[in-house]
Amino acid sequence: MVIPTEICALSEYRIYPGNGSLFIRRDGKPVFLGSSKAYSLTLQRKKPAKLVWTQAWRRLHKKGISETTTKKRSRRVNKVARAVVGLSLDDIRKKQSIKPEVRTAQRDAALKEVKSRKAANKGKTASGRTGRQSSAGQRAKVPKNVKR
């Protein structure tokens, strides 16, 4: 047999038949109150969330819900490799698979080649120029405080 119960408007406790009181508000809304304490606090316009013994306060401060719900598991983010402007995805994977020693050797070889190319270019430009052209890039020095 199911017993019809009401819920207290302040504390949210169950009110069994024969207990509590029914309070009709000015706007005509019926308010069920479980005890004289709840009735008194309702007339004083106390907020249920500020009263420690009410269900509203317990809900607000997350009391007594640890056993009913478990923490939500966060999914780990999967890393996705993407192509860069100068390299395709296959090229990036190839470079990752090469051993670090081989990679350093390749880098050193490339640096040597660039340096030798620069030296060759420098030798060509120095031999092709005359003395006047090298100073033509600089401004002629003018004294600062000359009165005109």
Side-chain angles (χ1 to χ4, degrees), residues 58-110:
R58 292 182 67 78
R59 201 178 314 114
L60 190 67
H61 292 86
K62 297 179 178 136
K63 304 292 178 187
I65 56 168
S66 58
E67 62 270 7
T68 56
T69 59
T70 57
K71 275 193 175 180
K72 199 173 183 181
R73 287 184 183 167
S74 59
R75 282 177 30 193
R76 289 186 83 185
V77 179
N78 296 333
K79 284 189 178 180
V80 179
R82 292 173 62 187
V84 187
V85 173
L87 296 168
S88 68
L89 195 58
D90 297 330
D91 293 339
I92 292 171
R93 288 207 177 113
K94 281 179 189 173
K95 284 194 176 186
Q96 283 177 345
S97 64
I98 296 172
K99 289 184 179 177
E101 300 88 34
V102 178
R103 206 178 310 150
T104 52
Q106 284 179 346
R107 192 183 307 122
D108 292 340

Side-chain angles (χ1 to χ4, degrees), residues 110-122:
L111 282 170
K112 279 182 185 175
E113 192 224 325
V114 169
K115 282 182 182 177
S116 63
R117 204 181 314 138
K118 275 189 180 178
N121 284 346
K122 200 173 188 183

Side-chain angles (χ1 to χ4, degrees), residues 24-86:
I24 309 292
R25 276 208 216 134
R26 230 183 249 158
D27 60 354
K29 187 181 176 192
V31 177
F32 290 95
L33 297 163
S35 62
S36 58
K37 180 181 180 180
Y39 178 78
S40 173
L41 290 166
T42 305
L43 289 182
Q44 295 172 46
R45 297 182 185 270
K46 299 288 182 192
K47 291 182 181 176
K50 290 192 174 183
L51 301 169
V52 180
W53 56 275
T54 61
Q55 291 300 313
W57 185 91
R58 292 182 67 78
R59 201 178 314 114
L60 190 67
H61 292 86
K62 297 179 178 136
K63 304 292 178 187
I65 56 168
S66 58
E67 62 270 7
T68 56
T69 59
T70 57
K71 275 193 175 180
K72 199 173 183 181
R73 287 184 183 167
S74 59
R75 282 177 30 193
R76 289 186 83 185
V77 179
N78 296 333
K79 284 189 178 180
V80 179
R82 292 173 62 187
V84 187
V85 173

